[in-house]
Amino acid sequence: MGLLLLVALLLLPGSYGLPFYNGFYYSNSANDQNPGNGHGKDLLNGVKLVVETPEETLFTYQGASVILPCRYHYEPALGSPRRVRIKWWKLSENGAPEKDVLVAIGLRHRSFGDYQGRVHLRQEKEHDVSLEIQDLRLEDYGRYRCEVIDGLEDESGLVELELRGVVFPYQSPNGRYRLNFHEGQQVCAEQGAVVASFEQLFRAWEEGLDWCNAGWLQDATVQYPIMLPRQPCGGPGLAPGVRSYGPRHRRLHRYDVFCFATALKGRVYYLEHPEKLTLTEAREACQEDDATIAKVGQLFAAWKFHGLDRCDAGWLADGSVRYPVVHPHPNCGPPEPGVRSFGFPDPQSRLYGVYCYRQH
């Protein structure tokens, strides 16, 4: 009965197909192959639409271009090509709404929102509807769905995109446990990062992150990673792991925050300067060197991915003083690699140098 009603609608004057919300139309015009032989009949005859996407997670970095593979075929193969509608969208993560990315029929396509001008279909080979995303942003990581719609049938596949990055704990200049969830989001963004997901924190814990202060994660839970159980961190009797306080009130509760920064397109470096600088002088010195004062996320990324190893303490954009150590050595802090912190000294102090960031 439903199929007969659909055919009747298609035969109405001025009706060329079934509209969908963004202005594209699927057409059953006389120019289509096999007119009168609807897709529903093919389905009854056993033709199956198959969509193929990779099972493994794709890894890339901020500012790069990436291709999300997606191909489709029919079983058994068709003797003549079909016009299909392609839709890509980003699935919701931690309560965020789904995002439309791109819709296409043939050579016609439309992209949406922040993806406009950055995405297109490859379509270099028959049945290849892979999506290319250019100038990747921190918020681009997540799960994407590739949907192929052929008349009455639609099939889809998932592609998971992950950015290579580093998780770092961040504490307010005013002290421990001063940030609500929204303030945590803001300070991470100011430091070239985003609030870390649980998966990113768990991966960092597997790589050795040990931190006793609880911090916000992307899903508004509060957790902390422990490698070496000890008294101030839940007690020595508990096993190592990522400890959780569970969901907290986004506005009322206050903790630190775990941020996630990705690999850089530019370069972080310690500025060789004849004298130590105040915070204001540090900003100006970087500008005079055609650079900007480095953000905390940029310093962590340079330490993690570019091997920045320097025992000199330097100012950063948030007013903190830190230095990165890849190969620990005497007179350079603890025996483990890491980014050391001097906290937030008096900005008028002339005891420190500065780390600058210059884009390539």
Side-chain angles (χ1 to χ4, degrees):
M1 181 65 182
L3 180 58
L4 293 176
L5 178 59
L6 175 62
V7 173
L9 287 173
L10 291 174
L11 294 177
L12 287 174
S15 177
Y16 295 97
L18 297 177
F20 54 98
Y21 74 96
N22 59 11
F24 285 81
Y25 292 85
Y26 184 89
S27 174
N28 279 336
S29 68
N31 293 328
D32 286 347
Q33 300 292 333
N34 298 324
N37 184 16
H39 298 152
K41 185 175 180 181
D42 285 331
L43 293 175
L44 293 176
N45 288 337
V47 176
K48 181 181 179 182
L49 173 63
V50 179
V51 174
E52 300 174 308
T53 52
E55 294 183 1
E56 66 275 7
T57 300
L58 305 181
F59 285 89
T60 185
Y61 59 90
Q62 186 179 1
S65 295
V66 66
I67 295 172
L68 309 187
C70 182
R71 290 180 55 82
Y72 70 95
H73 66 274
Y74 294 93
E75 297 178 353
L78 296 177
S80 56
R82 284 275 180 78
R83 173 184 281 190
V84 297
R85 175 168 72 106
I86 308 301
K87 179 180 178 182
W88 279 92
W89 75 90
K90 187 174 186 288
L91 275 62
S92 60
E93 300 284 346
N94 302 313
E98 292 183 346
K99 289 184 178 180
D100 290 328
V101 177
L102 180 143
V103 176
I105 296 179
L107 298 178
R108 300 177 60 198
H109 70 275
R110 179 181 177 185
S111 53
F112 300 89
D114 295 336
Y115 292 99
Q116 290 184 355
R118 297 195 297 127
V119 296
H120 69 272
L121 291 185
R122 296 272 289 180
Q123 294 184 299
E124 293 183 350
K125 299 179 180 179
E126 186 180 11
H127 296 172
D128 183 1
V129 290
S130 301
L131 181 75
E132 181 172 0
I133 308 177
Q134 299 175 334
D135 189 23
L136 276 162
R137 302 172 182 176
L138 277 170
E139 59 271 21
D140 287 341
Y141 78 86
R143 295 179 301 154
Y144 290 79
R145 185 173 293 280
C146 170
E147 183 178 43
V148 180
I149 304 169
D150 181 0
L152 298 179
E153 185 180 18
D154 65 272
E155 293 293 338
S156 63
L158 283 176
V159 182
E160 186 163 357
L161 178 64
E162 184 67 80
L163 299 182
R164 296 194 182 278
V166 56
V167 172
F168 61 94
Y170 191 87
Q171 188 175 97
S172 165
N174 298 320
R176 178 174 176 261
Y177 292 178
R178 299 295 184 91
L179 303 169
N180 66 27
F181 177 74
H182 305 292
E183 291 165 342
Q185 288 180 310
Q186 180 178 344
V187 297
C188 286
E190 290 172 350
Q191 297 312 311
V194 294
V195 179
S197 67
F198 171 78
E199 292 77 15
Q200 290 164 345
L201 181 66
F202 187 82
R203 190 176 300 121
W205 169 76
E206 289 181 313
E207 294 174 356
L209 180 60
D210 183 274
W211 195 257
C212 203
N213 291 352
W216 291 104
L217 293 181
Q218 191 182 87
D219 59 359
T221 62
V222 172
Q223 312 199 34
Y224 63 99
I226 294 297
M227 295 294 297
L228 301 172
R230 50 200 183 275
Q231 191 59 46
C233 306
L238 293 179
V242 177
R243 313 272 173 79
S244 177
Y245 287 14
R248 303 279 92 179
H249 195 287
R250 296 174 183 237
R251 183 172 55 86
L252 298 179
H253 290 143
R254 295 182 176 273
Y255 297 92
D256 295 342
V257 64
F258 289 99
C259 302
F260 175 81
T262 69
L264 301 169
K265 293 180 68 175
R267 182 174 75 95
V268 174
Y269 60 97
Y270 183 81
L271 180 66
E272 300 293 346
H273 198 273
E275 56 189 18
K276 302 300 184 181
L277 306 163
T278 67
L279 177 58
T280 298
E281 291 169 345
R283 296 181 191 276
E284 294 172 349
C286 288
Q287 292 175 354
E288 292 172 359
D289 203 44
D290 296 324
T292 58
I293 188 169
K295 299 177 180 180
V296 177
Q298 293 169 339
L299 183 67
F300 269 92
W303 163 77
K304 177 76 171 180
F305 298 104
H306 298 283
L308 184 60
D309 187 20
R310 186 85 190 211
C311 203
D312 298 284
W315 292 105
L316 295 177
D318 65 338
S320 66
V321 170
R322 308 175 193 247
Y323 64 97
V325 175
V326 176
H327 305 289
H329 47 88
N331 303 319
C332 203
E336 300 85 18
V339 175
R340 323 285 194 220
S341 175
F342 280 54
F344 296 85
D346 180 353
Q348 299 303 316
S349 170
R350 281 196 170 89
L351 296 176
Y352 312 105
V354 62
Y355 287 92
C356 303
Y357 172 73
R358 181 183 294 145
Q359 289 186 329
H360 287 161

